[in-house]
Amino acid sequence: MYDQAFVQKLKQTNVSADAEKTKERVAALWKASSREAKKEVETLADISRASIYRVFSTGSLSVKLALPMAQVLGADPYYLLGKTDENNGCDDELLARFLSDHGYEKLLQTVKPKAKRKPRAVPVSEPVAAPVALQEQDSVGLPAPTPELLAYLDERTDEDLFMLLKSLLLRAEVDESARQKATLLKLILIS
């Protein structure tokens, strides 16, 4: 994967093969993307959102914007430019070929792409001891902490868990079962 310092060395000249296809494809891809992915593209390309929206109206797409869009959003850069009609996804080899095709061979030789960090593996076969408070789960109807459940929870972001906690606290205001679960969770958090 290419970092912001590498992307800053790319030119902002139009490389689109078909402006109409570029308009449609970039707009559709952008609208289907998450807020976090959009922010990552903006940061990586170091451009404003207005510059991205300009692609929607002009169909002009530069290597400096096509590379981050392809890398972050997982799109084929040739598809974005209108050179192919199939979006076969994106990988490091395709990005390197894309950069070579647009005259960045020397830059590719001097700067090596950074590898994406692999997610931490959770050993599923090892049983995990449940906290003492979870041993009282039968009284409030909590599911048993299976390895799959623990792996699922480990994949959630802090923001996801915070939203789950907020929803539990809201339900606790009107539901006795949710109130018991919230109390148990509070005991776990302070222990």
Side-chain angles (χ1 to χ4, degrees), residues 122 146-157 160-161 164:
V122 177
T146 63
E148 293 83 15
L149 177 61
L150 293 171
Y152 171 81
L153 290 173
D154 197 37
E155 292 173 3
R156 303 287 63 98
T157 64
D160 292 341
L161 295 175
L164 288 171

Side-chain angles (χ1 to χ4, degrees), residues 120-135:
R120 186 179 69 190
V122 177
V124 177
S125 60
E126 297 178 22
V128 178
V132 175
L134 279 182
Q135 293 173 358

Side-chain angles (χ1 to χ4, degrees), residues 66-82:
L67 180 78
M69 286 187 118
Q71 181 174 300
V72 174
L73 305 178
D76 185 332
Y78 295 104
Y79 173 78
L80 295 175
L81 298 177

